[in-house]
Amino acid sequence: HDEICDLSSIRTISLKQNTLKSTIPSCLLTLPELSSLLLSSNGLTGSLSLSSLNVSPLTYLDLSYNQINGSIPSEIGGFSSLCYLSFYSNAFSGHLPSELGTLSVLSYLSVRSNHLDGPVPRTIGSMVNLQKLYVRSNKITGTISSELFELSKLILFDATSNGLTGTIPTRIGVMKSLTSFAAAYNSQAGTVPAEIGLLSNIKCLYL
């Protein structure tokens, strides 16, 4: 662990599709020049430890297909340069941190297939560059947040297989960029709003 943390000039670390079984060294995410960290499809375990940073150059973080557990640290909000963030298929639990809302340049966020619960934080409305959001196959509760409909660049939203309640908001009609909207296998009720007919770019609709 210690040796890799001495690579102060490294910009990309890709160790995808190996059989790494340890925890992630917290120092990896503090390397001063690191912009891409790709550790998907390993056997990484333990919780994710992040330090509070003033500035991080990290733009691409992929930890998908591992066995990382515990909560998603609130310090993730300090990584303000992130464009791509994937925690897909791990064992994260607890709530989505409201600090995700500070990631204003993030375009891709996947927390699909974890054990997350609670509502999607209202701060999501501040993620103004978000294009794809996957929260599928968790234990997310509450209603579809009205702040979601402030994301004018969103093209894909997938909240299939959670515990969402309430109705599909009529405001969905303002999502002119939306091509895929999936909220099947939840506990929503009511009628399908006629405003869905305003989604001129929609290709896939799963309710």
Side-chain angles (χ1 to χ4, degrees):
H1 285 186
D2 293 338
E3 291 79 5
I4 199 169
C5 295
D6 292 332
L7 303 175
S8 59
S9 297
I10 198 164
R11 295 187 177 182
T12 299
I13 296 176
S14 179
L15 298 169
K16 298 186 294 183
Q17 296 180 333
N18 284 286
T19 53
L20 303 176
K21 299 295 184 184
S22 65
T23 58
I24 299 173
S26 58
C27 60
L28 271 186
L29 292 152
T30 62
L31 290 170
E33 300 294 330
L34 188 67
S35 63
S36 297
L37 180 59
L38 300 88
L39 300 176
S40 61
S41 302
N42 280 286
L44 296 169
T45 58
S47 60
L48 181 62
S49 177
L50 302 178
S51 300
S52 296
L53 301 175
N54 291 325
V55 177
S56 170
L58 198 66
T59 61
Y60 197 105
L61 178 59
D62 187 358
L63 303 181
S64 55
Y65 296 103
N66 282 289
Q67 299 163 30
I68 303 168
N69 56 37
S71 61
I72 296 174
S74 60
E75 288 83 3
I76 193 66
F79 291 79
S80 57
S81 296
L82 277 173
C83 295
Y84 182 103
L85 177 60
S86 180
F87 294 146
Y88 177 23
S89 192
N90 276 280
F92 284 108
S93 58
H95 291 14
L96 285 168
S98 60
E99 288 80 4
L100 284 170
T102 65
L103 303 179
S104 59
V105 299
L106 194 72
S107 64
Y108 180 102
L109 173 61
S110 178
V111 294
R112 177 179 172 179
S113 300
N114 281 278
H115 308 301
L116 298 165
D117 56 26
V120 174
R122 299 175 69 90
T123 53
I124 193 174
S126 300
M127 303 170 75
V128 293
N129 284 294
L130 196 62
Q131 297 181 22
K132 295 184 178 182
L133 174 60
Y134 296 88
V135 296
R136 178 179 184 142
S137 299
N138 280 284
K139 301 173 184 177
I140 302 294
T141 56
T143 60
I144 295 177
S145 170
S146 61
E147 283 76 16
L148 179 73
F149 304 109
E150 297 174 13
L151 303 177
S152 61
K153 296 183 180 180
L154 195 70
I155 60 175
L156 184 151
F157 174 71
D158 187 357
T160 307
S161 299
N162 278 287
L164 293 173
T165 55
T167 60
I168 298 171
T170 57
R171 283 193 65 195
I172 192 172
V174 305
M175 306 291 287
K176 303 302 183 185
S177 298
L178 204 62
T179 62
S180 180
F181 183 90
Y185 300 104
N186 280 282
S187 299
Q188 296 181 108
T191 58
V192 176
E195 286 80 0
I196 279 182
L198 301 174
L199 301 177
S200 55
N201 289 307
I202 200 76
K203 301 291 190 302
C204 301
L205 190 60
Y206 302 102
L207 303 176

